[in-house]
Amino acid sequence: MIHLLSQVFDTQFLASAVRMTTPILLAAMGGLLCSLSGTLNVALEGLMLMGAFGAVAGSFYTGSWLAGVGLAVLLGTLTSVLLSVTIIKYKANELVVGLAVNLAALGATTFMMRTLWQVKGSFIDPRIAPLPSWRLPLIHHAPVLGKVLSGHTPVVYASWAVVLIINYVIYHTAFGLRLRATGENARAAETLGVRTKKLQYVAFILSGALSGLAGAQLSLGLVTLFLINMTAGRGFVAMVAVILGQRLVAGVAGASLLFGLAEGLTMRLQGLRIPPQFVLMLPYLITIITMVLLRPRHPRPVLPEEARKAALEETP
Amino acid sequence: MSHPRYQPCLGGNELAKVLEMQGIVKGFPGVLANDHVDFDLEEGEIHALVGENGAGKSTLMNILYGLYQPDEGRIVCKGRQVRFESPLDSIAAGIGMVHQHFMLVPSFTVYENIVLGAEPRRRGSFDRAKAISRVRELAKRHDFRIDPLARIHNLPVGSQQRVEIMKSLYRGAGILILDEPTAVLTPQETKELFVILKSLARQGKTIVFITHKLEEVMEVSDRVTVMRGGKVTMTKATAQTDAREIARMMVGREVFLQVNKADLTPGEVMLEVENLWVADDRGLFAVKGLSFQVREGEILGVAGVAGNGQMELAEAITGLRPVQAGRIRVCGQDITGNSPFAIRSAGLAHIPEDRYKHGLAKTGTVEENAIMFLHNFSPITNNGLLNRKAITEHADSIIENFDVRPRDRKALAGQLSGGNAQKLIVGREMTLNDKVLVACQPTRGLDIGAIEFLHNRIVQQRDHGSAVLLISVELDEVMSLSDWILVMYEGKSMGELDARAAAVEEVGRLMAGIGKRGSSGKEASA
Ligand SMILES: Nc1ncnc2c1ncn2[C@@H]1O[C@H](COP(=O)(O)OP(=O)(O)OP(=O)(O)O)[C@@H](O)[C@H]1O
Ligand SMILES: [Mg+2]
């Protein structure tokens, strides 16, 4: 058993978990902003897929990973503008529109891949420039930490900065206060002159940009290719991370890390004698179990002695 | 004044009107809520605004606050005509409003709620320290006892209301509108509110105060305006009028708040509660071993200061809250732990305390709300299909008999005025003609005409042989309607009194937890 554990949990595994966490973390931060503003962004999956496609396209045509990241963020943002206008301005049902965007993104990216590059399932090409891996100055040579935290893509480091910035914005700025007020009691905020719709737009658009960035990590960071439906449910996992994290920045980041670890574990266990189908199920299984465990619980009141006695007497 | 946007419309000439509303007209589909209303305010006065349910009081004040636009008429603020397109404009003109239903963010702290939308900043970020100190200072200046760091959802209603008032003061309001502020307060909290209002008026603030309680008008106001059917019927200095005249101007006839009851002829026990233990939301016991009986043809009034377990008691009886120990019987049938549906089917009707949470579906129509529960049975539903004709008849008869206005089956329940929403619930529950009626704060938010009517209906139900459990924080109501009075204090009974013989002072003492506890009950005194 210990042998098995040490085989699984080494620095290599932890480093891959860190890499896997990034896309989920970025999308979840976007989902968190929407959720705090009182809307639901079901389209994280689709936005991320648009980003993944944009990253490969941008990188392929220019040979620059930076252009890839730029196009990823742009596509994610534009799609979320469309999404937010229908939801906020035209009051369309957020669930229906969000799911439609997911399906449309799947169709659009598949179609574009086939027409632009004449390939079937995936697009691999040496001209796609991957994200570089950067060494962190001091940490890189530290014994264990260096192997786990250093040598990642710029997007991974950016995601850490995003968490810190969002944490600051939500809890330490007037914008954050108003955003949270909007989500909890929009009418109260409105009567005080808060422009609630504007805040919701901002949240949606940021979530689009962040999901796009998440997609870039997926297609240019973890691998260097585009695959049909390559997000494979990570956007939905990010939605769950928002709820699991109790809509707190630290909580959501923690939940994302948990899912990242689960995904890393999936990769690792596939090499062992555990059926791969079971392993692939793990992240979702963890989700279900944690959701059940995390349900709100009320303390059961303890009856005082006098009441218990009376209760006993009356049962015949 | 703490807010930079504040351009006061008061000051200057002492005698000048601070604000005038002239010829205001506002119609909603099917009703003319304000019909050429003239209304004015003088600096530093407390101005009571009274009128029947649906008279148009809230509408008029919502116009003043910029939430609605008038169809006709104008608003003159310190001699200058103004247009309030949104609350932002009226806030900037120094007007603040405390709504009938509070507008607070429950998970936020007191100071966050107060500064929201006008936050002090330091280098781009929210300056919490400054926000807290400003709110502290504000509280001190106006003598409000409140902790700026407390979270709203942990505060009692009275304190939440103070936060609402502070929100307006923080924005430099010189005119404060309070829409039925006392409807949700305990008598003690009401007293505290009046102290606050009087002191604000002394500082030169102008206060509009909407209420249905005429003794409050007499106690606290300088002037009073009466509305009826969308029109103003009287504006007078309070000292030059009395409660009778105000009531007459409101209702258009003499009102008698005395109820006439037939002699008590109690029958079988219909509602029986035995050693009941119920926990509140935090898991603490709110009802501690309570026992009582209500028989056919009698009204048992539960008196007590709000928050002494009355709400939990009612929710346990009606199946909305689990029972930890003890038994509840309705019409001889043990219904402990049964679903609300089963309990209702056993013959229990319920007028809930919170009309929007448990009483109505706000986005449903009046007729849909009128048939709730009955929709399970013929003739409203036949073979699983709704019977249009029966629904129409049933809804119309409730609207007619209980004077729900507007007389429109298809109106949304959420758009009814507060009092009319209550009449709809009361109408639905009373037409069930059940053997047991549990009525919680049944007259909250009702005008005196409607209260008179409702009191008579409750007594009528009793005279027809229903067992009525009346839970109310209005001591007058409990005293005048009940046959027996049970005083609750901290979840326990302080004793049951014969209503004919009970003195107000004695009940008041018991409500404060002073005096005998236990069963000086019915058996003893009967
Ligand atoms: N948003 C709305 N849409 C449609 N009708 C409305 C709306 N608001 C108010 N009304 C109607 O206008 C009339 C006046 O309502 P208003 O709320 O001003 O009465 P009120 O005097 O405040 O009564 P209450 O004492 O019961 O609160 C009522 O008939 C009400 O049904
Ligand atoms: Mg009203």
Side-chain angles (χ1 to χ4, degrees):
Chain A
M1 190 67 199
I2 290 172
H3 177 68
L4 185 77
L5 280 180
S6 66
Q7 226 182 328
V8 173
F9 290 97
D10 53 15
T11 52
Q12 218 183 330
F13 158 74
L14 291 175
S16 81
V18 168
R19 275 196 298 278
M20 306 274 192
T21 299
T22 297
I24 298 170
L25 180 64
L26 285 169
M29 284 296 137
L32 173 66
L33 288 175
C34 288
S35 170
L36 288 176
S37 80
T39 55
L40 182 69
N41 191 345
V42 194
L44 296 176
E45 175 85 6
L47 295 171
M48 205 195 290
L49 191 59
M50 293 300 281
F53 175 82
V56 164
S59 173
F60 172 72
Y61 287 117
T62 64
S64 147
W65 64 268
L66 211 54
V69 169
L71 192 60
V73 170
L74 187 70
L75 278 188
T77 307
L78 288 179
T79 315
S80 71
V81 168
L82 198 79
L83 178 71
S84 55
V85 170
T86 49
I87 290 176
I88 300 167
K89 180 149 188 226
Y90 296 105
K91 300 198 166 58
N93 183 306
E94 51 200 359
L95 202 63
V96 174
V97 180
L99 289 174
V101 165
N102 286 338
L103 293 173
L106 178 59
T109 52
T110 307
F111 170 75
M112 293 294 280
M113 182 182 86
R114 285 189 181 156
T115 43
L116 287 178
W117 304 315
Q118 283 86 38
V119 286
K120 275 260 159 67
S122 62
F123 177 58
I124 313 177
D125 193 287
R127 279 167 291 176
I128 307 174
L131 295 177
S133 55
W134 287 355
R135 295 177 171 192
L136 286 180
L138 293 168
I139 298 171
H140 187 72
H141 296 290
V144 180
L145 277 180
K147 291 230 171 62
V148 177
L149 296 181
S150 184
H152 292 296
T153 67
V155 175
V156 172
Y157 302 130
S159 74
W160 301 348
V162 162
V163 173
L164 293 180
I165 293 170
I166 286 188
N167 187 63
Y168 183 79
V169 167
I170 287 179
Y171 302 118
H172 300 281
T173 66
F175 172 85
L177 190 74
R178 293 173 184 198
L179 188 80
R180 287 181 287 135
T182 301
E184 204 175 323
N185 189 346
R187 262 181 71 76
E190 264 159 31
T191 53
L192 294 176
V194 173
R195 296 171 62 190
T196 54
K197 286 194 176 161
K198 193 179 107 189
L199 292 173
Q200 291 177 334
Y201 274 120
V202 171
F204 256 108
I205 288 166
L206 285 176
S207 81
L210 292 173
S211 302
L213 194 59
Q217 167 72 3
L218 219 53
S219 63
L220 293 183
L222 298 180
V223 290
T224 313
L225 56 87
F226 183 78
L227 198 69
I228 288 179
N229 193 21
M230 78 181 298
T231 43
R234 286 184 181 82
F236 290 106
V237 170
M239 279 179 69
V240 175
V242 174
I243 301 164
L244 198 58
Q246 313 269 297
R247 307 204 308 164
L248 301 167
V249 175
V252 175
S256 303
L257 181 62
L258 179 75
F259 291 131
L261 282 167
E263 218 180 308
L265 194 63
T266 310
M267 304 281 277
R268 201 25 95 78
L269 292 180
Q270 271 170 343
L272 301 174
R273 258 178 311 154
I274 299 171
Q277 290 82 355
F278 176 79
V279 178
L280 281 172
M281 219 168 63
L282 263 183
Y284 307 101
L285 213 56
I286 292 180
T287 306
I288 294 173
I289 293 169
T290 38
M291 288 315 290
V292 172
L293 291 179
L294 260 173
R295 74 182 190 281
R297 239 180 293 218
H298 293 290
R300 206 185 136 70
V302 183
L303 277 180
E305 196 55 38
E306 34 177 336
R308 228 170 325 179
K309 237 184 289 163
L312 279 181
E313 271 165 27
E314 110 199 359
T315 35
Chain B
M1 296 293 133
S2 45
H3 198 254
R5 234 178 352 212
Y6 172 50
Q7 304 150 6
C9 50
L10 4 153
N13 189 346
E14 284 282 316
L15 290 172
K17 306 277 185 210
V18 170
L19 185 124
E20 282 176 89
M21 299 178 82
Q22 300 167 343
I24 300 290
V25 176
K26 177 73 186 173
F28 290 113
V31 268
L32 199 52
N34 285 163
D35 184 1
H36 295 92
V37 172
D38 295 323
F39 181 75
D40 63 66
L41 293 171
E42 287 163 11
E43 183 167 358
E45 73 167 342
I46 299 182
H47 195 129
L49 181 57
V50 298
E52 287 182 297
N53 296 127
K57 307 178 295 290
S58 296
T59 304
L60 186 68
M61 289 303 114
N62 284 335
I63 289 173
L64 184 53
Y65 193 57
L67 283 171
Y68 295 152
Q69 305 307 313
D71 302 337
E72 273 176 49
R74 51 190 215 133
I75 302 175
V76 178
C77 191
K78 205 182 131 198
R80 197 158 36 89
Q81 184 169 346
V82 287
R83 269 187 73 84
F84 296 150
E85 307 269 350
S86 80
L88 276 187
D89 297 338
S90 62
I91 290 171
I95 296 173
M97 181 158 180
V98 176
H99 296 266
Q100 214 163 342
H101 303 278
F102 296 161
M103 300 269 192
L104 295 170
V105 185
S107 79
F108 278 22
T109 60
V110 168
Y111 80 87
E112 285 172 332
N113 267 284
I114 292 173
V115 304
L116 180 65
E119 305 86 353
R121 302 185 196 202
R122 201 167 51 107
R123 278 187 276 119
S125 62
F126 174 32
D127 192 343
R128 280 175 195 278
K130 196 168 197 176
I132 295 170
S133 73
R134 276 192 188 170
V135 169
R136 278 232 167 84
E137 197 181 296
L138 189 70
K140 211 168 122 204
R141 177 152 23 107
H142 296 291
D143 223 5
F144 283 13
R145 284 179 296 110
I146 200 145
D147 173 13
L149 297 176
R151 300 219 171 254
I152 296 295
H153 60 75
N154 293 332
L155 291 179
V157 186
S159 305
Q160 293 189 12
Q161 190 171 62
R162 247 169 279 159
V163 177
E164 284 278 21
I165 295 174
M166 286 174 78
K167 264 163 67 175
S168 296
L169 295 176
Y170 177 80
R171 283 162 179 76
I175 299 174
L176 203 57
I177 305 164
L178 296 119
D179 195 349
E180 296 193 37
T182 56
V184 289
L185 299 185
T186 63
Q188 182 55 36
E189 288 172 325
T190 302
K191 270 200 203 109
E192 290 171 15
L193 175 69
F194 286 174
V195 171
I196 289 173
L197 294 187
K198 283 177 184 161
S199 114
L200 288 175
R202 264 199 309 278
Q203 294 168 29
K205 310 271 182 202
T206 306
I207 290 157
V208 185
F209 170 65
I210 300 180
T211 185
H212 287 298
K213 295 174 193 158
L214 298 186
E215 70 277 5
E216 293 179 357
V217 174
M218 301 312 295
E219 185 186 336
V220 81
S221 74
D222 302 308
R223 279 203 302 160
V224 53
T225 291
V226 183
M227 289 184 74
R228 193 163 115 73
K231 292 194 176 79
V232 169
T233 52
M234 179 178 100
T235 300
K236 253 191 188 177
T238 311
Q240 284 160 24
T241 181
D242 55 28
R244 270 202 45 190
E245 186 185 18
I246 297 173
R248 205 172 52 238
M249 298 312 286
M250 268 173 69
V251 187
R253 61 175 168 82
E254 290 285 338
V255 185
F256 305 96
L257 279 179
Q258 214 60 41
V259 276
N260 297 312
K261 292 192 290 190
D263 284 341
L264 184 64
T265 47
E268 305 275 300
V269 172
M270 282 294 139
L271 174 65
E272 190 177 7
V273 167
E274 220 183 289
N275 187 28
L276 187 70
W277 290 78
V278 185
D280 66 13
D281 291 334
R282 293 164 301 171
L284 305 173
F285 279 101
V287 178
K288 302 168 186 164
L290 199 65
S291 303
F292 59 80
Q293 300 180 335
V294 193
R295 289 168 292 182
E296 278 176 314
E298 86 183 356
I299 299 177
L300 174 67
V302 176
V305 177
N308 274 287
Q310 301 99 312
M311 193 186 82
E312 287 80 6
L313 170 66
E315 288 185 356
I317 294 175
T318 52
L320 296 170
R321 187 176 281 277
V323 171
Q324 305 299 332
R327 290 268 156 263
I328 304 170
R329 276 180 273 276
V330 169
C331 304
Q333 190 182 334
D334 187 341
I335 51 96
T336 320
N338 286 6
S339 70
F341 178 78
I343 295 172
R344 278 176 162 271
S345 305
L348 179 137
H350 177 211
I351 300 169
E353 172 169 352
D354 187 328
R355 62 179 76 119
Y356 293 116
K357 197 162 143 205
H358 292 136
L360 286 177
K362 279 172 93 171
T363 51
T365 60
V366 167
E367 80 179 358
E368 283 164 353
N369 276 286
I371 58 158
M372 269 182 209
F373 182 66
L374 282 180
H375 70 272
N376 294 296
F377 307 100
S378 178
I380 300 293
T381 303
N382 287 326
N383 310 318
L385 295 176
L386 290 172
N387 177 354
R388 279 276 137 224
K389 190 156 157 280
I391 292 173
T392 308
E393 273 169 18
H394 187 73
D396 278 342
S397 88
I398 288 178
I399 291 172
E400 198 53 44
N401 292 333
F402 289 83
D403 191 29
V404 181
R405 277 178 263 177
R407 298 213 170 321
D408 179 7
R409 273 180 283 120
K410 301 285 184 192
L412 291 187
Q415 283 175 357
L416 296 181
S417 79
N420 281 300
Q422 182 71 355
K423 288 193 239 169
L424 174 60
I425 298 170
V426 168
R428 177 183 70 210
E429 298 304 316
M430 287 215 170
T431 41
L432 293 175
N433 268 322
D434 275 324
K435 291 307 282 183
V436 179
L437 173 67
V438 176
C440 308
Q441 321 295 353
T443 55
R444 172 175 288 175
L446 291 191
D447 66 58
I448 47 171
I451 291 176
E452 176 196 32
F453 169 79
L454 187 73
H455 282 175
N456 283 322
R457 290 301 296 244
I458 290 179
V459 168
Q460 222 174 321
Q461 285 245 316
R462 158 201 183 262
D463 292 346
H464 287 155
S466 286
V468 179
L469 181 69
L470 169 70
I471 300 177
S472 175
V473 292
E474 304 288 341
L475 189 50
D476 294 344
E477 180 166 276
V478 173
M479 297 283 296
S480 68
L481 288 184
S482 314
D483 299 305
W484 301 96
I485 299 173
L486 182 152
V487 182
M488 261 182 103
Y489 179 73
E490 295 194 334
K492 294 187 178 174
S493 167
M494 293 294 291
E496 248 175 70
L497 309 170
D498 185 335
R500 281 164 307 181
V504 180
E505 295 73 31
E506 189 187 1
V507 178
R509 251 200 326 276
L510 293 175
M511 279 167 67
I514 308 163
K516 57 187 177 216
R517 165 168 286 180
S519 56
S520 71
K522 258 180 230 176
E523 297 75 22
S525 47

